[in-house]
Amino acid sequence: MADIIPELFVVGAGPGDPELLTLKAYKVLQTAAVVLYDNLANQDLLALAPVACECIYVGKKPYGEYTPQEVIHELIREKALAHGRVVRLKGGDPFIFGRGFEEMLFARSHGIAAHYVPGISSMQAVGFEDIPLTHRVVSEGIWILTGTKKDGQLAADLRLAMQSNSTLVIYMGMKKLPAIAATYVQEGRGHTPAAVVQHASLPHRKLAIGRVQDLPALVAAQEITYPAIIFIGDVVGVGREIPGL
């Protein structure tokens, strides 16, 4: 029996559609001894792993049940040392609000080689709704923020981003959506075009689009819940009519 080589691959599963998985991620999954996957990774991807591969759910549902990070770390250590190649399959890109680098640092601290495989970020899937993240003249860049910091407060950079001529992308912001909309109104920017997208690359995707001040009502009407991503900026209005503008 060959010597076991403990290693961790932190792999981005992309925004949901299995066909958006990268070729490198596809090859890594085919050689996995263990896959630790979350609720944002399409479970159809598990079929790519070898028949003997052990697949373990370690999901963290927003504001609901979750697997503690400490448990995930221990599974990485235990399974890599016992079985070899562990794949940590994470939705979107694991280095964008995914704690993927934390897991790599933990693995390396225990003598386990760790590798990063980028994934298509969930925010990029908004393109399927004909919303570009940047557009010449309209948007000069992108701000990517978390809607809720570790202390539960809105990110302080929100007000800074509002002053720029850039697209604002907010992850994990649904619970703070009323506060986000109110902040824009307070700054006199409530009419800024905005959208909320859920399951952007999948057949059951949902979209709410309008003015940022109206987003809470629009999201309720479309029955959009979390996880979803908020997009704010003039790029949302390119090529379409926005009610109220």
Side-chain angles (χ1 to χ4, degrees):
M1 182 177 179
D3 291 336
I4 291 174
I5 301 175
E7 56 183 350
L8 170 69
F9 281 79
V10 176
V11 175
D17 182 347
E19 293 186 354
L20 294 177
L21 189 73
T22 66
L23 181 58
K24 187 173 185 68
Y26 175 87
K27 291 179 177 179
V28 169
L29 274 171
Q30 288 186 315
T31 61
V34 178
V35 175
L36 306 176
Y37 65 98
D38 65 26
N39 59 296
L40 294 179
N42 193 322
Q43 294 186 30
D44 289 348
L45 296 176
L46 301 179
L48 299 176
V51 175
C53 177
E54 182 181 8
C55 298
I56 304 172
Y57 174 74
V58 291
K60 298 180 179 180
K61 296 182 179 179
Y63 315 115
E65 296 181 357
Y66 68 97
T67 303
Q69 190 65 41
E70 295 75 16
V71 173
I72 296 173
H73 283 172
E74 182 55 30
L75 283 169
I76 289 171
R77 188 192 67 81
E78 173 191 331
K79 297 300 182 180
L81 294 176
H83 303 289
R85 179 167 292 188
V86 173
V87 171
R88 178 71 170 96
L89 189 62
K90 303 171 75 72
D93 182 277
F95 276 16
I96 300 180
F97 302 121
R99 302 187 72 172
F101 194 52
E102 292 179 39
E103 294 169 357
M104 291 179 63
L105 291 175
F106 172 83
R108 288 170 180 168
S109 73
H110 287 79
I112 299 167
H115 314 278
Y116 165 59
V117 181
I120 294 176
S121 171
S122 299
M123 70 177 179
Q124 292 175 267
V126 73
F128 293 118
E129 306 299 339
D130 286 338
I131 298 175
L133 290 174
T134 63
H135 189 71
R136 191 169 61 170
V137 179
V138 175
S139 174
E140 297 176 352
I142 308 169
W143 286 69
I144 306 171
L145 304 180
T146 176
T148 305
K149 299 189 301 179
K150 189 175 182 179
D151 62 6
Q153 300 299 312
L154 276 175
D157 279 357
L158 176 63
R159 291 184 185 274
L160 294 175
M162 291 166 56
Q163 306 305 314
S164 71
N165 184 27
S166 295
T167 306
L168 175 57
V169 181
I170 304 176
Y171 285 72
M172 299 172 288
M174 292 300 288
K175 198 171 184 179
K176 293 289 187 179
L177 185 57
I180 293 168
T183 302
Y184 268 81
V185 172
Q186 291 167 10
E187 296 293 329
R189 296 175 175 267
H191 284 70
T192 305
V196 176
V197 183
Q198 184 177 26
H199 307 308
S201 66
L202 297 170
H204 57 289
R205 65 185 182 269
K206 294 182 179 181
L207 171 69
I209 193 165
R211 301 176 298 178
V212 65
Q213 67 187 32
D214 301 324
L215 278 188
L218 293 170
V219 162
Q222 295 294 330
E223 298 183 336
I224 297 176
T225 59
Y226 35 73
I229 301 182
I230 303 165
F231 301 87
I232 304 173
D234 290 336
V235 292
V236 177
V238 174
R240 59 160 50 88
E241 296 290 332
I242 300 292
L245 292 180

